[in-house]
Amino acid sequence: MWETVFFWIFAAGAVLSSLAVVLIPRNAIYNALALILDFFFLAGIYGLLSAHFLAVTQVLVYGGAIMVVFMFIIMLLNVKDANEGAIRIQVHHFLAVAAAFSFLGLVLGSLASLQSTPQDASQIAAEAAPGQPIVVQASSSVPGLYSSLNEAGLNQRYGEVIQSYAEEEWRPADGQHLPGSDRIYPKYREFDRSQKVVVPPALLPAPESHVADRDPDPFGTIEPLSILLVNRFVISFELTAILLLAAVIGAFIIAKKRL
Amino acid sequence: MEPTLFHYLALAAIIFSIGLLGVLIRRNAIRLFMSIELMLNAVNLTFIAFSKFRVDMDGHIFAFFIMAVAAAEAAVGLALILHLFRHFKTVNIDDASSLHL
């Protein structure tokens, strides 16, 4: 209930302040202030989407750092918009409005058509005729990525192999050919009980007290985000550091009096 | 009516279109940059909405990187505008059409 109310408040505020950013003539300071307002409304929407960390980052980085630089440049240059004071309507303004509206119509139209298509396996199963086999695409054209890897898709893909296991036609330990492929599966290695098995600490279960302290729904908080950031995305994270360094040096060099 | 993924994506599309309109009709370089920030924010909103409705945090990571890139872009871009103003005494991008330094 409250989520809905706040969504409409934030959405209306975001759209109106975005229009103010684009359409207020004369002094660019007003546009910058409208842009700050817009960033705050968008931070509210991020909060509704349970992206708590990003909502705070939005206010700090956009509303703080970036807008301070904008304000600084606007006040430093003190540009009087002689030609933009009164907007002279020209042909390219009509073309621009037409382009923006047709882009919006294209996106909203494709969204509406996507909304009416079945989204997951249960919906597909509900819409299929009874007694008909359901064909679900189990693999995507991108290697390593599986789209809608559901029960029907898995069954279509691996049903034959599982059937051959169940009927004891062959076992993977026999080192035979997999039916329908030329891959040979090796025999399993004997398990040596005399050797001690060392479990790496990362694979050990977390202590009970730790689990109890944890937020029941950590989605969007800083903990899962930081775990992703320093594991799967660690290379991009480090490259961002290089990018920011390059940006700082570049800004210094470009802004110098003589290039 | 509970907001769905469709609502968030439609909102992002509207904000992106407004930013696009700003890029097309404004000739002041500073305002152009503001419109570009608007478009980047709309894309961020799309990523976060998808992230929420797929229950997958990867979108948050992308939004985070977009914020970092936007900060770098703002710093370099505003330095470029400063240099443009020193050279041409204007920030109107139509007047700064000469490649000659």
Side-chain angles (χ1 to χ4, degrees):
Chain A
M1 161 64 195
W2 283 112
E3 193 195 343
T4 315
V5 172
F6 278 114
F7 171 77
W8 288 111
I9 292 172
F10 288 146
V15 170
L16 288 179
S17 53
S18 316
L19 280 173
V21 171
V22 171
L23 294 181
I24 289 180
R26 275 197 286 278
N27 205 331
I29 285 281
Y30 297 133
N31 302 82
L33 289 174
L35 191 56
I36 293 176
L37 192 65
D38 190 48
F39 289 156
F40 273 84
F41 279 124
L42 280 171
I45 287 176
Y46 295 171
L48 284 183
L49 286 166
S50 53
H52 317 293
F53 173 69
L54 284 174
V56 175
T57 315
Q58 168 92 0
V59 173
L60 283 181
V61 173
Y62 273 111
I66 294 182
M67 289 320 293
V68 165
V69 182
F70 265 100
M71 287 294 200
F72 178 73
I73 290 291
I74 291 169
M75 291 182 173
L76 184 73
L77 300 188
N78 194 20
V79 182
K80 289 279 177 284
D81 273 337
N83 357 347
E84 278 197 79
I87 296 181
R88 288 170 303 157
I89 304 294
Q90 293 171 337
V91 182
H92 82 264
H93 288 158
F94 290 110
L95 293 178
V97 171
F101 268 97
S102 48
F103 176 80
L104 183 63
L106 192 69
V107 174
L108 290 185
S110 59
L111 279 179
S113 69
L114 272 179
Q115 208 184 22
S116 61
T117 53
Q119 308 235 324
D120 53 22
S122 59
Q123 245 173 313
I124 294 170
E127 290 188 5
Q132 291 283 315
I134 305 163
V135 179
V136 178
Q137 195 191 358
S139 62
S140 90
S141 55
V142 182
L145 254 187
Y146 289 91
S147 61
S148 68
L149 196 61
N150 47 45
E151 203 177 337
L154 283 173
N155 198 30
Q156 188 201 9
R157 207 172 152 84
Y158 299 108
E160 256 181 60
V161 178
I162 295 167
Q163 187 73 19
S164 69
Y165 287 170
E167 290 170 4
E168 296 200 342
E169 286 173 18
W170 68 285
R171 287 171 298 154
D174 292 343
Q176 288 183 352
H177 287 271
L178 192 73
S181 86
D182 52 358
R183 201 167 153 198
I184 297 176
Y185 275 74
K187 291 195 179 200
Y188 289 125
R189 203 178 49 168
E190 286 293 320
F191 184 66
D192 189 359
R193 286 180 187 282
S194 63
Q195 296 239 321
K196 201 180 166 199
V197 180
V198 181
V199 181
L203 292 181
L204 288 173
E208 283 299 317
S209 62
H210 229 85
V211 175
D213 289 344
R214 215 167 260 175
D215 190 352
D217 183 18
F219 182 84
T221 55
I222 195 164
E223 188 184 344
L225 196 97
S226 54
I227 289 172
L228 274 178
L229 211 54
V230 293
N231 284 293
R232 268 180 67 201
F233 296 96
V234 66
I235 295 177
S236 329
F237 186 57
E238 299 294 339
L239 285 177
T240 308
I242 298 175
L243 174 76
L244 288 176
L245 179 68
V248 168
I249 296 172
F252 262 112
I253 290 177
I254 293 168
K256 269 198 317 192
K257 275 262 155 58
R258 295 197 58 81
L259 196 63
Chain B
M1 188 166 56
E2 196 82 352
T4 59
L5 177 62
F6 178 79
H7 290 93
Y8 288 106
L9 291 183
L11 175 63
I14 290 169
I15 294 176
F16 189 92
S17 303
I18 293 171
L20 183 67
L21 186 68
V23 169
L24 289 177
I25 65 174
R26 287 300 184 182
R27 294 277 70 98
N28 183 325
I30 297 172
R31 286 201 172 117
L32 237 119
F33 257 88
M34 286 186 202
S35 303
I36 291 171
E37 296 292 335
L38 218 55
M39 290 161 86
L40 283 171
N41 259 285
V43 174
N44 261 352
L45 178 57
T46 316
F47 272 125
I48 293 172
F50 270 122
S51 188
K52 161 86 172 180
F53 286 92
R54 287 179 56 93
V55 198
D56 182 348
M57 292 268 302
D58 287 3
H60 290 200
I61 303 282
F62 294 146
F64 185 74
F65 284 136
I66 289 176
M67 279 184 192
V69 170
E73 175 236 328
V76 174
L78 291 171
L80 278 171
I81 291 175
L82 194 63
H83 202 80
L84 187 79
F85 184 74
R86 282 218 191 98
H87 197 77
F88 291 102
K89 302 290 172 240
T90 175
V91 289
N92 191 320
I93 54 168
D94 283 342
D95 296 341
S97 54
S98 155
L99 275 178
H100 180 66
L101 272 175

